[in-house]
Amino acid sequence: VQLQASGGGLVQVGGSLRLSCSASGSISTINAMAWFRQAPGKRRELVATVTTAGRTIYEDPVKGRFTISKDNSNDTYTRYLQMNNLKPEDTAVYYCTVDLRGSDRFGPWGQGTLVTVSS
């Protein structure tokens, strides 16, 4: 599986951004897709997860503000992370990744995309 991430950028507090992550290759092995983020000087943390069946899990810091949606094209495996009401503490490099059948850890990873929220 290969991942292509896009989106991110600079936004003011309260603004919105959308990240996308497209998977290609053996997408039938994907159990779930997830986004992590890593702020400067901090550990990488899980942000949100969506299973292939459509179940979503949002971590507490982003609940009510972030939403995962899917591309309804049948020939793609693309998910979007819509980020609303952004806060300065959301500033981080965001990474998408997948949980593959038969694997005990997330991976591979998409390239990181920088989200900067200015106050």
Side-chain angles (χ1 to χ4, degrees):
V1 171
Q2 297 81 42
L3 300 178
Q4 181 67 43
S6 65
L10 173 65
V11 66
Q12 292 186 330
V13 170
S16 299
L17 285 172
R18 190 177 78 163
L19 306 182
S20 68
C21 187
S22 296
S24 60
S26 301
I27 61 174
S28 62
T29 66
I30 298 174
N31 290 326
M33 180 175 280
W35 274 269
F36 284 74
R37 67 186 181 186
Q38 187 166 21
K42 295 189 176 182
R43 299 182 66 178
R44 189 174 296 189
E45 63 175 0
L46 178 63
V47 173
T49 307
V50 58
T51 68
T52 298
R55 179 181 178 224
T56 54
I57 304 170
Y58 301 98
E59 300 306 309
D60 286 345
V62 306
K63 277 182 181 177
R65 301 187 298 120
F66 290 12
T67 305
I68 295 175
S69 61
K70 63 180 291 188
D71 187 313
N72 290 319
S73 300
N74 292 328
D75 59 348
T76 67
Y77 192 109
T78 299
R79 301 295 183 268
Y80 302 99
L81 181 67
Q82 179 67 40
M83 305 183 294
N84 297 329
N85 190 23
L86 284 162
K87 304 176 180 180
E89 52 264 42
D90 294 318
T91 295
V93 177
Y94 286 70
Y95 301 88
C96 66
T97 185
V98 288
D99 170 42
L100 299 179
R101 187 170 64 242
S103 176
D104 61 355
R105 64 188 65 188
F106 283 108
W109 296 77
Q111 74 275 24
T113 57
L114 178 61
V115 171
T116 303
V117 184
S118 65
S119 57

